[in-house]
């Protein structure tokens, strides 16, 4: 007598392991329409991913700890305003995943230099809050970056390509 349950069980367990390992990865795939532009509205606290014909996704966001006004100097806690591009990605971010914004541009650098200061840099759209930050009670906690949940940055990271323009509005 052969045991027909063993091969079936092994097959089901193998399928379950493959399914769960796919869910555990922070790297997602995306095969939908191309994201042609990002729009971020600081006052309303949301990020829009546009396709050629319509809006593909929207996300609530958190900002720098001093959200009013355009970022001018390193350490001011503000999130930049203006037109930039997505220029890099960090799969090993301290904040799950992150995609970089091309701040500072030439105008940002000139403004800061005129004041004898550094414009700062390393502005990213990234995942979840640092340990000890309660995102329910503290919405704007970054040093000038744009924060979304870990699950949301996984989607954004998969959908948005380097070189995609981003317009950040007050």
């Amino acid at each position: 007598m052969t045991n027909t349950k063993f091969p079936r069980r092994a097959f089901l367990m193998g399928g379950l392991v493959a399914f769960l390992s796919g869910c555990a990865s922070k790297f997602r795939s995306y095969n939908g329409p191309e994201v042609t532009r990002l729009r971020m509205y600081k006052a309303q606290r949301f990020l829009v991913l546009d396709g050629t014909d319509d809006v593909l996704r929207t996300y609530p966001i958190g900002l720098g700890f001093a959200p009013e006004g355009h970022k001018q100097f390193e350490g001011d806690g503000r999130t930049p305003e203006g037109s930039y591009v997505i220029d890099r990605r960090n799969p090993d971010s301290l904040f799950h995943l992150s995609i970089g914004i091309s701040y500072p541009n030439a105008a940002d650098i000139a403004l800061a230099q005129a004041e004898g200061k550094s414009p700062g840099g390393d502005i990213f759209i990234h995942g979840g809050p640092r340990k000890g930050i309660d995102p329910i009670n503290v919405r704007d906690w970054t040093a000038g970056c744009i924060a979304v949940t870990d699950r949301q940055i996984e989607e954004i990271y998969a959908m948005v390509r380097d070189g995609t323009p981003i317009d950040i509005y007050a």
Side-chain angles (χ1 to χ4, degrees), residues 35-41 46-50 61 79-87 99-103 105 123-125 146 156 160-161 163-169:
V35 175
T36 58
R37 180 175 75 142
L38 288 82
R39 291 178 288 133
M40 195 190 84
Y41 298 90
F46 71 90
L47 175 67
V48 179
L49 276 60
D50 288 322
I61 59 168
T79 301
E81 296 169 1
S83 295
Y84 301 94
V85 296
I86 300 303
D87 66 349
I99 57 174
I101 296 173
S102 62
Y103 176 88
N105 61 26
I123 301 297
F124 287 86
I125 300 170
I146 297 103
I156 295 166
V160 175
R161 300 287 163 242
T164 304
I166 179 170
D167 295 314
I168 304 172
Y169 302 102

Side-chain angles (χ1 to χ4, degrees), residues 99-118:
I99 57 174
I101 296 173
S102 62
Y103 176 88
N105 61 26
D108 299 321
I109 293 168
L111 174 69
Q113 285 179 341
E115 297 292 321
K117 297 183 179 184
S118 167

Side-chain angles (χ1 to χ4, degrees), residues 11-74:
F11 176 77
L12 290 174
M13 289 303 290
L16 180 62
V17 167
F19 174 77
L20 291 176
S21 67
C23 292
S25 175
K26 65 182 178 179
F27 300 104
R28 302 190 178 283
S29 60
Y30 174 72
N31 297 318
E34 178 185 5
V35 175
T36 58
R37 180 175 75 142
L38 288 82
R39 291 178 288 133
M40 195 190 84
Y41 298 90
K42 289 173 59 174
Q44 293 81 14
R45 303 291 193 284
F46 71 90
L47 175 67
V48 179
L49 276 60
D50 288 322
T52 302
D53 298 322
D54 55 7
V55 171
L56 301 175
R57 299 268 201 300
T58 61
Y59 300 96
I61 59 168
L63 300 173
F65 61 83
E68 301 296 320
H70 174 60
K71 181 165 194 62
Q72 296 179 343
F73 312 116
E74 183 173 13

